[in-house]
Amino acid sequence: MLEQRATWGRCMEPTSGMNSKPLTPELAQMVQNLPSSLLGIIDWFEGKGHFVWIVGGAVRNALLEIPIIEYDLATTMVPEEMKEYPDMIPTGEKFGTITFRSEGDFYEITTLRTEKGYGDGRRPDEVEWGLSLTVDLSRRDLSMNSMALDVNKSVYYDPYGGFEDLQRNRICAVGEPKSRLSEDALRILRTYRFMDQGLAGVWKPERGLSNALRTTRSMLSKIAPERIWSELKRILLGKNASIILQRMADDGILRQIFDSDWMLDDYRISKLDSVEGDDVLDRLVVLLRDVPSQMCETIARTMKLSNQEKKTLLFRHSCLGHIPELLDSNLRIHQYVLGDWAQQHLRIESLFAPMNHGSHSSDDIQQRISRNEGLNTSDNSKSLATGEWIMAQTNMHQGPKLGALKNWLHREQIARNLTSLEQIETLLCTLSWHEDEFNHWPKLQFPSQTV
């Protein structure tokens, strides 16, 4: 069967009935700049008597004249044959995908295929190797992603009008929109992601696709949370995230993902584009502002955030709505506890200052940002007073009271910018550490227990 299939790959014309088009200037430029590692792989397929095309995002990005992130290829060669390549990884052999490594670069290459049935709304029930490029492109999500380029023939194929849709800033499904989205519900989020075209603005889906996004949203419950988070991260970091997320809220998509309601012109969503930097957790914490901490934890767990992502998100969420007093001591504690995120925290707070009803204004926050920049702090933030030293000074035994005093001394060390153990010893003489109510002693934390 394999030998027969290989013969088919050499004898049959997979582009039969398709209209080839000469390369546009943008595509010609892409071909001219292809990495040598990719050209070597293309030559390997040609030498084996098989067809191979660059497909999907690389062709789309080239036509849009935006950076190409990766090159994916489609071929008439089946996985078993591709495994003859000297440096390959069978990453998705079951679904026809083999990863080739060349000159340190990695390329995913997938056999032409047809798919039957999507009973779970996530993956095809059955995959068969195909011999038609048209059929293979027909199973893709959007017309802009359904183009293929033949490097050696210097032509490209666009059976579903992707180039024209790109020219018209239009997002269209391949075939019937509801059916296409139902095959893999993650395509719902991918469609919203493609609406954000960065500096080119926001593109709108055609009416049928727009309606299908709303009617198929319940199918997102069938998608693995980590796949949803992977797409949502890219949407949150988009140039026009506020517009896209608000549309997702209006269409009921965010309700489906977070199990919570969102307002028209939601004030949190409106601030997303004003968040500085590219830390996606900053965007997410702004989106979840005013969500109860327990619900925030549930969302982090449900979305399958990594342990570090979850820890960071919950800590930053706990800081929202709090700012340090305009005193050097409080600002030093704020800087120590929040670390590199201290200034970003204040910048995020400034975004919401108009909604704080007078509790702290934009000017209040800007004063803290400016004062932080010139704050005199010691390079040594490690606690100078060890447990052994404190026991020697106080005759205190090991236990929670000793830990509370150590934390208190460390807090004062940071707040007062103390740099020597002699200064700590002088400070110890002024503290009321003899009392037993140590649970109320000041702690090195932000927000403080008194806020």
Side-chain angles (χ1 to χ4, degrees):
M1 179 65 180
L2 181 60
E3 182 179 351
Q4 184 183 23
R5 176 63 174 76
T7 302
W8 289 345
R10 285 186 285 270
C11 298
M12 296 190 67
E13 176 55 65
T15 58
S16 178
M18 299 181 72
N19 293 322
S20 63
K21 300 182 179 183
L23 299 183
T24 67
E26 298 84 3
L27 294 179
Q29 182 72 21
M30 179 188 83
V31 170
Q32 184 178 345
N33 294 322
L34 287 176
S36 61
S37 57
L38 178 56
L39 291 173
I41 289 173
I42 291 173
D43 288 343
W44 184 85
F45 278 96
E46 296 284 345
K48 295 288 186 179
H50 277 274
F51 296 91
V52 65
W53 304 268
I54 299 174
V55 295
V59 181
R60 179 196 68 233
N61 284 15
L63 289 170
L64 290 172
E65 298 186 85
I66 61 177
I68 296 173
I69 301 172
E70 59 187 1
Y71 295 91
D72 293 325
L73 291 89
T75 181
T76 52
M77 187 179 286
V78 297
E80 193 62 33
E81 295 172 291
M82 282 194 276
K83 289 166 71 174
E84 296 176 7
Y85 185 77
D87 194 355
M88 67 85 209
I89 307 168
T91 46
E93 183 177 0
K94 178 181 177 182
F95 297 100
T97 300
I98 301 292
T99 298
F100 280 31
R101 179 164 46 196
S102 175
E103 301 177 20
D105 297 326
F106 294 82
Y107 302 96
E108 285 193 354
I109 307 172
T110 304
T111 304
L112 294 182
R113 64 191 188 186
T114 60
E115 300 170 349
K116 295 181 180 180
Y118 289 81
D120 61 2
R122 295 177 294 174
R123 60 180 72 88
D125 299 329
E126 184 179 346
V127 174
E128 294 181 356
W129 310 143
L131 291 168
S132 169
L133 180 61
T134 306
V135 173
D136 184 85
L137 295 178
S138 71
R139 65 179 178 78
R140 298 175 185 266
D141 53 1
L142 303 174
S143 63
M144 65 171 67
N145 299 326
S146 299
M147 294 177 279
L149 186 149
D150 190 315
V151 173
N152 289 333
K153 292 182 179 180
S154 293
V155 299
Y156 78 105
Y157 301 91
D158 182 17
Y160 302 101
F163 182 40
E164 181 182 355
D165 289 334
L166 289 179
Q167 289 180 309
R168 296 187 177 185
N169 299 352
R170 182 174 61 190
I171 301 178
C172 296
V174 174
E176 203 283 312
K178 186 174 181 180
S179 298
R180 195 69 342 110
L181 297 179
S182 298
E183 291 170 353
D184 181 356
L186 195 67
R187 290 173 173 175
I188 297 171
L189 297 185
R190 279 172 52 84
T191 300
Y192 285 101
R193 171 160 62 87
F194 284 119
M195 291 182 199
D196 190 344
Q197 289 294 319
L199 295 176
V202 175
W203 293 7
K204 294 182 179 180
E206 55 86 20
R207 181 174 298 179
L209 179 55
S210 181
N211 292 334
L213 290 170
R214 293 188 292 270
T215 58
T216 59
R217 65 193 179 206
S218 62
M219 297 193 68
L220 284 170
S221 62
K222 298 182 178 182
I223 300 299
E226 54 269 28
R227 294 183 71 203
I228 291 178
W229 174 230
S230 178
E231 280 296 326
L232 187 60
K233 283 194 289 188
R234 300 173 75 174
I235 294 172
L236 284 168
L237 290 173
K239 189 75 174 179
N240 304 288
S242 292
I243 297 175
I244 303 302
L245 268 293
Q246 188 60 59
R247 174 157 188 155
M248 291 173 65
D250 297 343
D251 289 347
I253 305 299
L254 292 190
R255 179 76 172 81
Q256 187 69 40
I257 294 175
F258 293 113
D259 193 25
S260 62
D261 294 319
W262 303 82
M263 298 180 289
L264 292 173
D265 300 322
D266 193 288
Y267 71 98
R268 296 163 296 182
I269 294 176
S270 69
K271 301 300 180 183
L272 290 175
D273 292 342
S274 301
V275 178
E276 296 183 25
D278 57 1
D279 188 333
V280 71
L281 294 181
D282 282 345
R283 304 289 182 95
L284 184 58
V285 81
V286 166
L287 190 64
L288 298 179
R289 182 185 173 89
D290 297 335
V291 167
S293 57
Q294 186 175 1
M295 183 176 177
C296 186
E297 185 172 3
T298 299
I299 289 172
R301 185 172 59 253
T302 302
M303 298 283 288
K304 302 290 186 182
L305 269 62
S306 69
N307 289 335
Q308 185 57 52
E309 285 176 329
K310 178 182 175 181
K311 181 179 178 182
T312 301
L313 175 66
L314 295 180
F315 173 69
R316 293 180 183 178
H317 187 268
S318 72
C319 294
L320 296 184
H322 303 275
I323 63 171
E325 292 184 40
L326 192 58
L327 299 169
D328 286 356
S329 57
N330 293 80
L331 292 172
R332 289 193 186 101
I333 291 173
H334 178 259
Q335 276 195 8
Y336 175 83
V337 176
L338 274 65
D340 293 338
W341 196 66
Q343 291 290 72
Q344 179 73 337
H345 165 239
L346 293 176
R347 287 191 288 265
I348 289 175
E349 287 301 319
S350 70
L351 298 179
F352 294 95
M355 294 91 170
N356 287 329
H357 306 295
S359 57
H360 44 260
S361 67
S362 297
D363 288 342
D364 292 335
I365 299 171
Q366 188 56 51
Q367 287 178 6
R368 286 154 175 79
I369 292 174
S370 300
R371 194 153 170 177
N372 262 345
E373 293 172 350
L375 196 61
N376 179 28
T377 58
S378 171
D379 293 334
N380 182 18
S381 58
K382 184 179 179 181
S383 179
L384 295 172
T386 65
E388 291 78 8
W389 183 87
I390 296 173
M391 286 189 289
Q393 300 296 317
T394 64
N395 291 321
M396 192 179 292
H397 300 294
Q398 286 188 345
K401 184 175 181 180
L402 175 64
L405 181 54
K406 186 174 185 294
N407 189 275
W408 188 4
L409 289 172
H410 192 194
R411 180 190 187 281
E412 296 304 316
Q413 172 190 323
I414 299 298
R416 304 179 189 216
N417 202 30
L418 305 181
T419 57
S420 69
L421 198 56
E422 289 75 16
Q423 291 174 312
I424 300 293
E425 184 175 3
T426 300
L427 169 67
L428 182 62
C429 296
T430 68
L431 301 182
S432 302
W433 57 265
H434 298 280
E435 63 182 52
D436 293 328
E437 295 298 323
F438 60 86
N439 288 327
H440 300 293
W441 290 351
K443 296 179 175 62
L444 180 55
Q445 63 183 37
F446 182 89
S448 68
Q449 67 270 32
T450 58
V451 173

